Amino acid sequence: MTGQAQEYDFFPAHVVRTRRLGPTMLRVTFGGGALRSFAGGGRDQSFSLFLPQPGQDEPDLPYAEGEGWFAAWRAIPADRRAVMRSYTVRAQRAEPPELDVDFALHGVGADGHAPSGPDGPDGPAPAGPAAAWAAAARPGARVVLLGPAVADNRSVAFRPPAGTGFVLLLADETALPAAGGILDWLPAGTRALVWIEVPDAADIQDLPAPAGVDLTWLVRAPGTPSGLLPALRSAELPDGAPYAWIAGESGTVKELRRHLVRERGVDRRAVAFSGYWRRGASEDRLREEAYARPS
């Protein structure tokens, strides 16, 4: 997968270091010479991350197959083929070439292991393969990224149109890295209302909030519904044309979008939304549903 017109390419990389950001979040820094060509567009730049299965030294991913890589990867037995997950670039540096990627460690305790209680391996919320991998990742661990070879690529969703009067950002912890990337990118003087929900007060981060940005953190108590919709319902929005970016749990994202479009009268074309996960469904299940969906 090479060539100047190629929008995406594969980038072999390795773990440089890890840093715990809070009870729920872990930052993994990836490095490697191939990342010099990773042309991230900032904001909510997403990519596919391929991880090895337990016991493997590197992901089993036939990316040398070129355009036939996906069929070849799908043909590998599920317990051997590389685990594929979608993530957001939190930060990128040119020299040395590095990417920071923040993982939400759902199902992983503060000690880096899945809890043994009712929410552990035998309960309703076991750690997924990516969270388990990240919690155990050590420098040198090998991965492969499928990401942008050009900065203006389709995997950047945050694109406020000309004439936007103010920006709305609503995110849960899974979308926190993307929200942070957007805040880093916002032009000076942009008017923005931001709500970010996390499961623990210790997960609150020091994000940029220059003049014009009103950032509110919400802490979701265990077993309680998201507080994002009540916060948005009670908010007084500024005058002007809004542009909204919403990401997180699919059901909550749909409710937020419905409120903006149906109750606030926001143009649906001015609402970018993405379900990063769905309550009760693994990413593998969601991908299988997508594969089975008629094209």
Side-chain angles (χ1 to χ4, degrees):
M1 297 184 66
T2 58
Q4 288 186 333
Q6 186 71 45
E7 189 173 5
Y8 299 99
D9 207 344
F10 288 101
F11 302 90
H14 63 272
V15 174
V16 176
R17 57 188 172 274
T18 65
R19 179 164 70 94
R20 198 70 180 250
L21 302 177
T24 307
M25 301 298 295
L26 176 76
R27 177 163 296 166
V28 179
T29 298
F30 295 107
L35 294 179
R36 287 190 174 88
S37 300
F38 189 101
R43 294 163 282 177
D44 57 341
Q45 175 70 67
S46 65
F47 66 96
S48 293
L49 176 65
F50 293 89
L51 304 170
Q53 295 280 356
Q56 295 179 335
D57 292 330
E58 60 184 320
D60 191 345
L61 176 66
Y63 59 86
E65 296 284 339
E67 293 184 358
W69 75 269
F70 185 77
W73 171 76
R74 289 274 291 164
I76 300 171
D79 62 348
R80 278 186 36 220
R81 71 175 177 236
V83 174
M84 178 168 61
R85 290 292 185 269
S86 298
Y87 279 95
T88 302
V89 177
R90 179 61 187 86
Q92 182 175 2
R93 293 171 293 280
E95 287 299 335
E98 291 181 345
L99 294 179
D100 292 336
V101 180
D102 292 354
F103 289 74
L105 298 182
H106 292 151
V108 177
D111 59 357
H113 300 286
S116 57
D119 288 333
D122 298 324
W133 176 89
R138 297 294 180 267
R142 288 182 283 181
V143 300
V144 176
L145 288 66
L146 174 57
V150 293
D152 187 14
N153 61 84
R154 291 168 294 159
S155 297
V156 175
F158 183 82
R159 297 176 180 271
T164 295
F166 65 95
V167 169
L168 296 172
L169 298 181
L170 297 111
D172 68 11
E173 66 273 20
T174 63
L176 168 53
I182 290 170
L183 289 173
D184 286 341
W185 177 88
L186 280 181
T190 301
R191 183 82 184 272
L193 277 66
V194 184
W195 291 270
I196 302 177
E197 183 175 64
V198 293
D200 193 299
D203 286 316
I204 294 174
Q205 298 180 15
D206 184 16
L207 296 182
V213 175
D214 183 357
L215 171 58
T216 301
W217 290 92
L218 305 173
V219 179
R220 183 181 64 251
T224 62
S226 170
L228 288 169
L229 183 58
L232 179 60
R233 283 187 184 278
S234 64
E236 183 176 346
L237 303 185
D239 294 332
Y243 174 80
W245 180 93
I246 310 168
E249 195 278 322
S250 293
T252 300
V253 166
K254 289 178 182 178
E255 290 179 341
L256 291 165
R257 178 176 181 267
R258 186 179 301 117
H259 169 74
L260 287 172
V261 174
R262 295 185 181 178
E263 299 180 34
R264 298 273 193 172
V266 176
D267 187 335
R268 65 180 63 250
R269 294 169 297 181
V271 181
F273 62 101
S274 181
Y276 280 15
W277 62 289
R278 191 174 75 202
R279 199 173 306 281
S282 68
E283 184 167 345
D284 287 326
R285 176 179 164 186
L286 296 178
R287 288 185 182 276
E288 290 298 330
E289 291 175 358
Y291 300 148
R293 196 175 299 135
S295 57

